[in-house]
Amino acid sequence: MRYTGLVATLLVAGLSMAASAGEIEGKVSGMKGKSVVYVDTIPGKTFPAPKDHPLIDQKGLMFSPHIVVVQQGTTVDFQNSDNVAHNVFWTAVGNDKKAGHNLGTWPKGEKRSFTFDKPGAVPVLCNVHPEMAGYLIVSPTPYFAESDDSGNYKIKDVPDGSYTLVVWHEGAKNQSKPVTVAGGGKADFTLTK
Ligand SMILES: [Cu+2]
């Protein structure tokens, strides 16, 4: 009898937990390759900055990985692994040209760090090698995902609620749309250049 009561309690607890958060999933089409999808700024809500420092390497005259997505407030380490000097600079964060910055030029084996406090897409460039380009996407929330090569994406552990979803792709205009999460949510995008 007591055992049955415990099972029932656990079941109810399990169900209510399952209903409080879920995944946002969908497909981004219209452009080839990877996209980044994130939940835009939630009014009245802030998130503690993550402690981990993701690494963007400069290797073989390329930024690696080519696309990186982080939460706002994250410190990113930029490393040079080539035998030539590389530079790191960006001209804007999102539409904010005042957030442009030049980290300088440094040789192999060195690292420099920068904390990205503003949300938006950051095209990362090297003024020694104009053909080098990488992308850092700074999400205002911890709810973001990179799609696979076919455009399928899944954002995990999003609390129930109504949000604005933003999609970024290297060659397309940003798009946004509302999404409601109730134990899960769905949103597809069709991008245009
Ligand atoms: Cu370079």
Side-chain angles (χ1 to χ4, degrees), residues 18-23 158-161 180-185:
S20 64
E23 287 176 353
V158 185
D160 284 0
T180 297
V181 179

Short mmCIF file of all heavy atoms in Angstrom, two decimals, residues 18-23 158-161 180-185:
data_model
loop_
_atom_site.label_atom_id
_atom_site.label_comp_id
_atom_site.label_asym_id
_atom_site.label_seq_id
_atom_site.Cartn_x
_atom_site.Cartn_y
_atom_site.Cartn_z
N ALA A 18 8.39 16.66 -16.64
CA ALA A 18 8.44 16.54 -18.10
C ALA A 18 7.70 17.70 -18.75
O ALA A 18 8.03 18.12 -19.85
CB ALA A 18 7.84 15.22 -18.53
N ALA A 19 6.70 18.25 -18.08
CA ALA A 19 5.89 19.29 -18.69
C ALA A 19 6.51 20.68 -18.51
O ALA A 19 6.05 21.63 -19.10
CB ALA A 19 4.49 19.26 -18.09
N SER A 20 7.57 20.80 -17.71
CA SER A 20 8.08 22.13 -17.40
C SER A 20 9.14 22.63 -18.39
O SER A 20 9.47 23.79 -18.41
CB SER A 20 8.67 22.14 -15.99
OG SER A 20 9.78 21.28 -15.94
N ALA A 21 9.67 21.74 -19.20
CA ALA A 21 10.68 22.14 -20.17
C ALA A 21 10.69 21.13 -21.30
O ALA A 21 10.16 20.03 -21.17
CB ALA A 21 12.07 22.20 -19.52
N GLY A 22 11.28 21.52 -22.40
CA GLY A 22 11.33 20.59 -23.52
C GLY A 22 12.26 21.08 -24.60
O GLY A 22 13.01 22.05 -24.40
N GLU A 23 12.20 20.41 -25.73
CA GLU A 23 13.08 20.75 -26.85
C GLU A 23 12.33 21.59 -27.87
O GLU A 23 11.14 21.38 -28.09
CB GLU A 23 13.53 19.46 -27.55
CG GLU A 23 14.53 18.67 -26.76
CD GLU A 23 14.88 17.35 -27.44
OE1 GLU A 23 14.24 17.00 -28.45
OE2 GLU A 23 15.78 16.67 -26.94
N VAL A 158 14.53 23.82 -22.86
CA VAL A 158 13.94 25.16 -22.86
C VAL A 158 12.70 25.13 -21.97
O VAL A 158 11.79 24.33 -22.20
CB VAL A 158 13.54 25.60 -24.29
CG1 VAL A 158 13.04 27.03 -24.28
CG2 VAL A 158 14.72 25.42 -25.26
N PRO A 159 12.63 26.00 -20.95
CA PRO A 159 11.47 26.01 -20.07
C PRO A 159 10.20 26.38 -20.86
O PRO A 159 10.27 27.13 -21.83
CB PRO A 159 11.79 27.10 -19.04
CG PRO A 159 13.26 27.34 -19.16
CD PRO A 159 13.65 26.99 -20.57
N ASP A 160 9.08 25.88 -20.39
CA ASP A 160 7.81 26.23 -21.04
C ASP A 160 7.64 27.74 -21.08
O ASP A 160 7.97 28.44 -20.12
CB ASP A 160 6.64 25.61 -20.26
CG ASP A 160 6.50 24.12 -20.53
OD1 ASP A 160 7.32 23.59 -21.31
OD2 ASP A 160 5.58 23.50 -19.97
N GLY A 161 7.13 28.23 -22.19
CA GLY A 161 6.92 29.67 -22.31
C GLY A 161 6.84 30.07 -23.77
O GLY A 161 6.93 29.23 -24.67
N THR A 180 6.14 28.75 -29.12
CA THR A 180 5.65 28.44 -27.78
C THR A 180 6.12 27.05 -27.40
O THR A 180 5.98 26.11 -28.18
CB THR A 180 4.11 28.52 -27.73
OG1 THR A 180 3.73 29.87 -28.02
CG2 THR A 180 3.57 28.16 -26.35
N VAL A 181 6.72 26.97 -26.21
CA VAL A 181 7.17 25.68 -25.69
C VAL A 181 6.21 25.23 -24.60
O VAL A 181 5.99 25.94 -23.63
CB VAL A 181 8.61 25.79 -25.13
CG1 VAL A 181 9.07 24.44 -24.57
CG2 VAL A 181 9.58 26.28 -26.20
N ALA A 182 5.61 24.07 -24.80
CA ALA A 182 4.76 23.44 -23.78
C ALA A 182 5.16 21.98 -23.77
O ALA A 182 4.62 21.17 -24.52
CB ALA A 182 3.29 23.64 -24.11
N GLY A 183 6.19 21.68 -23.00
CA GLY A 183 6.76 20.34 -23.02
C GLY A 183 7.48 20.04 -24.33
O GLY A 183 7.87 18.92 -24.60
N GLY A 184 7.68 21.08 -25.14
CA GLY A 184 8.33 20.95 -26.44
C GLY A 184 7.77 21.97 -27.40
O GLY A 184 6.71 22.56 -27.12
N GLY A 185 8.48 22.23 -28.48
CA GLY A 185 8.00 23.19 -29.47
C GLY A 185 8.62 22.89 -30.82
O GLY A 185 9.59 22.14 -30.91
#
